[in-house]
Amino acid sequence: MENVTRFAAVNTKIRSLQGKFLKDKDYINMLEKNSVKDVANYLKDNTYYGEMLQDINLENISRRDLENILRNYLIKNVEKIRHYFNGNYKKFIKSLYVKYEIEDLKSFARLIFNGTELDSYEKTFVFVGKYSDVEPEKVFASKTIGDLIGAFEGSEFYKYIEPILKGKRKSLFYLEMALDMAYYSIIQRYWKMISKSDRQILEKMEGIIADLFNIQWIYRGMKFYSLSPEEILNYTIDFGDKLTYNERKALCYAKSLDEFFALTKESTPYSFLFNKEIIDLYMERRINRYIYFKLRALERTAMMNIIHVVAYILFLEFEIRDIISITESIRYNMPFDEAKKFLIREI
């Protein structure tokens, strides 16, 4: 009864917001455009994104400008949803920013690592500080990985990444691994604050995501990094839905990629990641598409619980990712049939 009271109003709001999602025809129309400006104008004139684009001069809009606007739209909608909650549930909704802030930090760290001019990128990282409450100015003043870690002193992230400063490995790789581990540690703490039924469905969903990311990481660790099986295992997420610790360990200790593929097929439901050509090119899309359809299935079986909130935010994220993928396909002059292969949504 408590969950019925808690979610009755917010689920009505979410159904209204989901009704505004782009349709197949919108994706098709955008894929046929010739520039970022054309895509932005289409969104402005024909979709609910028009409210964010209404007062913006789109004449010289770049892909990065459009992404920044869309990511701010995601923040705006998360805040709308937070308005319906109080107490621990309000804190939980804020914790959903952890994922996006960590993604921004990893992206910003890559720019530092590659020596990229940073001034023109700051507006892109709209989630920096949204969960951690760190001052974005301190982060954007960083010139090295060490500076970036130091900028988070006093924040919750710092205890996870500070050990890198004390060691000899102040590299991008170890920062990214520490942040990924921080994510699951933080969100599991917030799960404990909400009802048992909500916690169970979140554990199911996040367990599936952890399984997929673990398999992706083990594959890439074997193929692209000079790491021992022990080190690959140490950087897997100690959490999952189908994969046990022993199964993860067996995958890490596979003597070859062929053995790894065979084990994935024999002991996991995730062999679809590797059963087609061009594995690396489409792996991210396959993961996100699998998550998309699993969330759809969870939504259909759930009634008054937290999954509808989390699913809506992820679906909006995926839609934004697809819009940006379309602008990237325009940049590289991809034909329609090739460009649509990179979309999370099937059309």
Side-chain angles (χ1 to χ4, degrees):
M1 182 60 69
E2 184 180 3
N3 264 15
V4 172
T5 303
R6 180 179 291 122
F7 290 108
V10 70
N11 282 358
T12 299
K13 179 64 176 178
I14 286 171
R15 283 194 295 272
S16 173
L17 291 171
Q18 286 185 330
K20 298 178 180 179
F21 280 147
L22 301 181
K23 309 296 188 291
D24 282 358
K25 67 175 184 178
D26 296 313
Y27 284 88
I28 292 168
N29 288 334
M30 286 189 292
L31 283 165
E32 292 174 343
K33 301 302 179 187
N34 297 313
S35 68
V36 175
K37 183 182 79 170
D38 290 344
V39 171
N41 275 311
Y42 180 84
L43 291 169
K44 178 180 178 180
D45 295 337
N46 300 280
T47 76
Y48 66 103
Y49 290 107
E51 65 182 80
M52 291 288 286
L53 297 166
Q54 195 62 43
D55 299 322
I56 296 174
N57 184 353
L58 303 180
E59 188 60 33
N60 296 307
I61 192 169
S62 67
R63 183 205 62 79
R64 199 182 307 150
D65 293 334
L66 181 58
E67 182 174 9
N68 178 40
I69 293 166
L70 297 177
R71 283 159 62 83
N72 272 299
Y73 188 79
L74 177 57
I75 290 174
K76 180 180 177 180
N77 281 275
V78 173
E79 292 305 313
K80 283 182 182 177
I81 292 169
R82 282 186 73 201
H83 173 74
Y84 285 87
F85 294 97
N86 52 43
N88 286 336
Y89 272 81
K90 199 177 192 78
K91 293 176 183 177
F92 169 77
I93 299 301
K94 183 179 179 181
S95 78
L96 299 179
Y97 284 132
V98 174
K99 170 189 173 182
Y100 302 110
E101 184 165 6
I102 283 175
E103 286 178 356
D104 274 0
L105 291 176
K106 289 161 66 175
S107 296
F108 187 71
R110 290 183 204 115
L111 294 178
I112 292 175
F113 183 80
N114 292 326
T116 306
E117 179 60 46
L118 302 176
D119 290 345
S120 62
Y121 282 85
E122 290 182 10
K123 291 182 180 179
T124 302
F125 303 113
V126 299
F127 288 98
V128 172
K130 290 302 295 182
Y131 170 78
S132 68
D133 294 325
V134 72
E135 296 178 27
E137 295 78 10
K138 289 184 179 180
V139 174
F140 298 140
S142 303
K143 303 300 181 186
T144 67
I145 298 296
D147 291 343
L148 181 60
I149 294 170
F152 278 86
E153 187 171 3
S155 79
E156 186 176 359
F157 288 154
Y158 190 68
K159 67 181 178 182
Y160 299 101
I161 58 180
E162 186 263 348
I164 299 172
L165 290 177
K166 296 180 178 178
K168 297 180 180 179
R169 295 170 166 177
K170 300 182 180 65
S171 72
L172 174 65
F173 171 80
Y174 291 100
L175 175 61
E176 290 187 342
M177 293 297 102
L179 286 170
D180 285 342
M181 290 182 172
Y183 170 72
Y184 278 94
S185 177
I186 291 169
I187 63 168
Q188 288 184 70
R189 190 177 74 247
Y190 282 94
W191 294 351
K192 296 176 183 178
M193 298 180 179
I194 60 179
S195 73
K196 181 179 179 181
S197 60
D198 285 334
R199 183 168 65 251
Q200 287 173 335
I201 198 164
L202 287 172
E203 287 174 347
K204 175 70 175 178
M205 183 197 73
E206 289 289 352
I208 291 169
I209 294 172
D211 283 349
L212 289 164
F213 286 170
N214 272 333
I215 289 178
Q216 180 187 46
W217 158 241
I218 296 167
Y219 165 72
R220 289 180 172 171
M222 292 178 66
K223 184 172 181 179
F224 299 113
Y225 300 103
S226 299
L227 299 175
S228 66
E230 293 89 347
E231 195 160 17
I232 294 174
L233 180 61
N234 285 341
Y235 282 104
T236 57
I237 301 162
D238 192 18
F239 176 74
D241 179 52
K242 299 296 184 184
L243 287 183
T244 65
Y245 172 81
N246 286 335
E247 287 167 337
R248 278 188 281 125
K249 183 176 180 180
L251 290 170
C252 292
Y253 279 81
K255 295 181 174 58
S256 67
L257 282 176
D258 285 340
E259 183 179 337
F260 168 81
F261 295 147
L263 286 171
T264 302
K265 186 174 182 179
E266 291 168 10
S267 60
T268 84
Y270 307 116
S271 61
F272 67 89
L273 292 172
F274 309 108
N275 63 6
K276 297 179 182 178
E277 295 179 0
I278 324 180
I279 293 172
D280 300 322
L281 191 60
Y282 296 119
M283 181 177 286
E284 197 73 30
R285 187 221 62 189
R286 288 172 185 162
I287 287 174
N288 286 329
R289 187 173 285 182
Y290 186 83
I291 294 169
Y292 178 90
F293 285 109
K294 280 294 181 181
L295 272 172
R296 285 292 187 207
L298 284 173
E299 268 203 314
R300 285 194 295 272
T301 60
M303 295 299 291
M304 293 294 180
N305 62 40
I306 196 68
I307 195 63
H308 298 285
V309 172
V310 176
Y312 167 71
I313 293 169
L314 273 174
F315 292 155
L316 182 56
E317 173 201 337
F318 289 162
E319 184 171 275
I320 290 170
R321 285 177 182 256
D322 277 346
I323 293 169
I324 299 307
S325 290
I326 289 170
T327 63
E328 285 290 290
S329 70
I330 291 170
R331 177 184 176 187
Y332 293 107
N333 295 313
M334 286 186 188
F336 180 96
D337 287 340
E338 182 65 22
K340 72 177 185 180
K341 293 179 182 178
F342 289 90
L343 300 180
I344 297 168
R345 176 167 173 158
E346 285 185 308
I347 60 168

